Structure formats: C-alpha cells, structure tokens
C-alpha cells in the first residue's frame, strides 16, 4: 500500500519516442510542424468563417466548433510531447496524467457527437431543404453545439474517477507519447474490468450510436441525391457532403482500430503509432478537408492575401 501511494505522488515516466534515439531530432521537427500547421489551419478556418458573412450557416458554425475542438485536444498532448524529446526522463505527476486523460477523453467524446450533429445538419439540408433554416435555426444550432460539449465534459467524469482509484505496484513507465487510458491501465495491478466495461459502454453510447445515425443519415442523403435528374446537380449536392464523410471516416477508423478491442490484445508499440492517426492526422487534415472544395473559403483567403 505504501508503494502504491508513493506511485500516486511521483507519477509516471512517459517513454514517448525515446526508443528511436537515432531519429529524435527529425521526429521533433516533424511533430512541431504538424502541431503548428494544425493550429494555423484551424485558426484560419475559424477566422475565415467569422469574417465572411456568407459562411455564417449552420454547417460552418459546426465546422468552427470542430476547428476549436481540434486545437484544444492537440494542445492537451503536443506541447508536453515535444518537451519530452529533450528530456531523458519525461515525468508526469499522477494528477497531471489524470487531467490529461480526462480532457482528452472529453474532447474525443465531444468530437464523436459533433460529427453526428454535422451529419444530421447535412441530412436536413439535402433531404428537407425547404425547412432547413427553420429546423437548423440559430437557437437549435447553439443547443446542439452546447449539448455536444457538455455531454463530452460530463461523460468523462465517472471514467476519470475510476482511473483515479487504480493501484500501481510495478513499472511506472508509460509506453506511449501521452497518458493514454489503455497504456495506464496496462501498468495497474488493480482489476480493470469495470473501467474496460465502462469504456465499451461509453464507446457504444457516445461513439457507435452517432456513427450508426451518421450512416442512416447518409443512406437517406444518397437516396435523395440519386433522385436528382441533373448530373451536375447530383455532383454539387454530393460535394457538400464529401468533406464530412472524409472527416468521419478518418476519425472513426483511427479510434475504432485503436480502442475497440480488449486491452489484453494491445501491443503498445503498435498502438502508439496507430494513435497518431486521430491525435495528429485528423486535426491536421480537417481544415484541408473542409476548405479545399469551398469557393467561399478560397475567395476569402485570396482577398486577405491581397489586403495584406
């Protein structure tokens, strides 16, 4: 018991990418570039939407929420990870580790719900266009956005409480680049079945239900698009959904392949790289995905370049 208390006070050592000493400097600059690009890209998305009144629509209201979300959860991980490249022993306190896990889980849960809300927005816009602005009015959009954020924030509390009660009586070394829940549980000598069960429950409620609703929404959307007689009309209508479909697939593939399996099958070295798909790749790609086919984005950006 004394050893467990001592572990709680002293915290953990995060390995990060120390097992690749010969490429530490290239990795540092690569992750720094990814982080800075993510910040610039998502801030640019928010600034363009704010400055262009033609983008003050429900769809881009949710896109700005997604941009802010991506900034938030990469900032929870990347600064600490970048510092680790210059430390032989990257220490994090138990409370600091717990806070990182809490905020990361909250942001991931929020993104699950936000992507589901964005799918619903596209469903109403394409399948019920005449009532779109009536259904997706300012009050409704605000409620949906606040609801996703509050659910994510509250949803992670019981999970964090259970994690705070774990005992650690062996290694204190986390084979990951942040305090990943699975990596921390792997170090515990406590019974983690309750946390695993809660993870699956939360995964189903917060993750899989929005995903299923997204699929249902897009089945209806595709059915509606196929009824459009004009080829050009079908192409334009589908292009408004293509960016969201890409973002959904990118995020869900990374999360499901990493977490939706028993912790006993985890190979932490593989998981570490798999995690990069949603921790680094998704937030980096979202600004590109949502802006590359949007003429208003491109025009606003050109105007800003000319002005400056």
């Amino acid at each position: 018991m004394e050893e467990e208390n001592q572990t709680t006070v002293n915290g953990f050592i995060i390995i990060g990418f120390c097992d690749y000493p010969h490429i530490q400097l290239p990795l540092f600059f690569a992750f720094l570039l990814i982080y800075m690009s993510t910040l610039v890209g998502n801030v640019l998305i928010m600034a363009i939407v704010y400055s262009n009144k033609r983008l003050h629509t429900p769809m881009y209201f949710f896109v700005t929420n997604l941009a802010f979300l991506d900034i938030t959860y990469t900032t929870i991980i990347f600064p600490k990870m970048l510092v680790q490249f210059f430390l032989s022993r990257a220490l994090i306190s138990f409370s600091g580790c717990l806070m990182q896990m809490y905020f990361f889980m909250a942001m991931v849960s929020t993104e699950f719900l936000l992507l589901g809300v964005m799918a619903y927005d596209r469903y109403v816009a394409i399948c019920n266009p005449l009532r779109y602005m009536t259904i997706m009015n300012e009050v409704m959009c605000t409620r949906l956005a606040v609801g996703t954020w509050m659910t994510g924030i509250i949803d992670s509390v019981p999970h964090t409480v259970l994690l705070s009660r774990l005992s650690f009586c062996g290694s204190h070394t986390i084979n990951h680049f942040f305090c990943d829940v699975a990596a921390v549980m792997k170090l515990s000598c406590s019974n983690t079945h309750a946390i695993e069960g809660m993870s699956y429950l939360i995964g189903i409620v917060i993750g899989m239900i929005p995903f299923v609703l997204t699929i249902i929404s897009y089945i209806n959307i595709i059915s509606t698009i196929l009824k459009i007689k004009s080829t050009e009309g079908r192409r334009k209508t589908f292009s408004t959904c293509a960016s969201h479909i890409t973002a959904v697939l990118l995020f869900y593939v990374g999360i499901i392949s990493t977490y939706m399996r028993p912790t006993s099958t985890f190979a932490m070295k593989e998981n570490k790289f798999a995690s990069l798909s949603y921790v680094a790749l998704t937030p980096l790609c979202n600004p590109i995905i949502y802006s590359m086919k949007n003429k208003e984005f491109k025009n606003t950006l050109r105007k800003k370049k000319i002005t400056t």
Side-chain angles (χ1 to χ4, degrees):
M1 188 70 183
E2 185 180 344
E3 187 178 0
E4 291 168 13
N5 291 338
Q6 187 66 23
T7 303
T8 303
V9 172
N10 292 339
F12 303 99
I13 299 167
I14 299 179
I15 289 179
F17 296 93
C18 292
D19 41 354
Y20 300 96
H22 54 293
I23 55 169
Q24 286 292 288
L25 197 60
L27 281 175
F28 169 78
F29 283 112
F31 288 130
L32 179 63
L33 180 62
I34 288 170
Y35 181 52
M36 296 307 296
S37 300
T38 299
L39 293 184
V40 171
N42 283 289
V43 167
L44 196 60
I45 286 279
M46 294 167 70
I48 289 174
V49 172
Y50 177 79
S51 63
N52 189 336
K53 289 186 178 180
R54 293 182 67 176
L55 294 174
H56 291 185
T57 62
M59 176 183 172
Y60 284 101
F61 170 73
F62 294 123
V63 168
T64 56
N65 272 268
L66 183 63
F68 181 73
L69 182 65
D70 285 342
I71 290 170
T72 304
Y73 91 72
T74 51
T75 301
I76 291 166
I77 292 171
F78 267 80
K80 181 77 176 174
M81 182 179 74
L82 290 169
V83 171
Q84 289 166 13
F85 283 100
F86 298 99
L87 301 174
S88 56
R89 288 167 61 88
L91 297 172
I92 186 168
S93 67
F94 184 76
S95 58
C97 188
L98 208 61
M99 284 182 65
Q100 193 180 62
M101 286 190 288
Y102 167 74
F103 283 111
F104 181 70
M105 286 188 293
M107 296 304 103
V108 169
S109 294
T110 303
E111 185 149 353
F112 274 127
L113 296 168
L114 188 57
L115 289 172
V117 167
M118 291 170 77
Y120 175 70
D121 170 71
R122 292 298 81 208
Y123 163 75
V124 177
I126 292 170
C127 299
N128 205 346
L130 297 178
R131 297 187 59 211
Y132 178 60
M133 294 311 297
T134 304
I135 296 171
M136 300 301 291
N137 56 57
E138 188 175 345
V139 174
M140 174 61 108
C141 289
T142 303
R143 285 176 179 171
L144 287 170
V146 171
T148 59
W149 282 92
M150 291 305 297
T151 303
I153 290 167
I154 295 168
D155 161 71
S156 299
V157 172
H159 214 131
T160 308
V161 170
L162 287 176
L163 286 165
S164 69
R165 295 176 179 174
L166 290 177
S167 300
F168 301 91
C169 46
S171 172
H172 305 169
T173 303
I174 298 175
N175 188 7
H176 218 292
F177 56 86
F178 71 104
C179 281
D180 176 72
V181 175
V184 172
M185 283 199 297
K186 207 169 182 69
L187 299 180
S188 176
C189 52
S190 302
N191 189 322
T192 60
H193 290 323
I195 302 176
E196 286 189 54
M198 182 171 285
S199 296
Y200 279 106
L201 181 62
I202 290 173
I204 291 168
V205 175
I206 301 295
M208 294 310 294
I209 290 177
F211 184 57
V212 169
L213 292 175
T214 298
I215 290 172
I216 293 170
S217 295
Y218 275 101
I219 288 171
N220 284 285
I221 287 169
I222 292 168
S223 175
T224 302
I225 290 172
L226 291 175
K227 291 176 184 176
I228 299 173
K229 295 179 180 179
S230 159
T231 304
E232 182 64 17
R234 286 199 298 269
R235 188 190 64 78
K236 284 184 178 179
T237 306
F238 185 75
S239 69
T240 65
C241 304
S243 56
H244 182 253
I245 293 171
T246 307
V248 168
L249 289 174
L250 196 61
F251 181 71
Y252 271 90
V253 167
I255 289 287
I256 292 171
S257 63
T258 305
Y259 290 112
M260 295 305 286
R261 53 197 174 98
T263 54
S264 58
T265 66
F266 275 26
M268 281 302 155
K269 199 167 185 178
E270 295 172 9
N271 253 35
K272 189 159 47 178
F273 286 97
S275 300
L276 289 172
S277 63
Y278 61 88
V279 172
L281 188 61
T282 302
L284 176 67
C285 292
N286 277 345
I288 301 167
I289 290 167
Y290 282 103
S291 61
M292 64 182 177
K293 289 189 176 181
N294 190 289
K295 290 181 180 178
E296 288 297 330
F297 264 104
K298 292 175 183 176
N299 291 338
T300 305
L301 194 56
R302 284 196 201 99
K303 288 176 185 176
K304 285 184 177 294
K305 284 180 179 178
I306 293 168
T307 306
T308 53

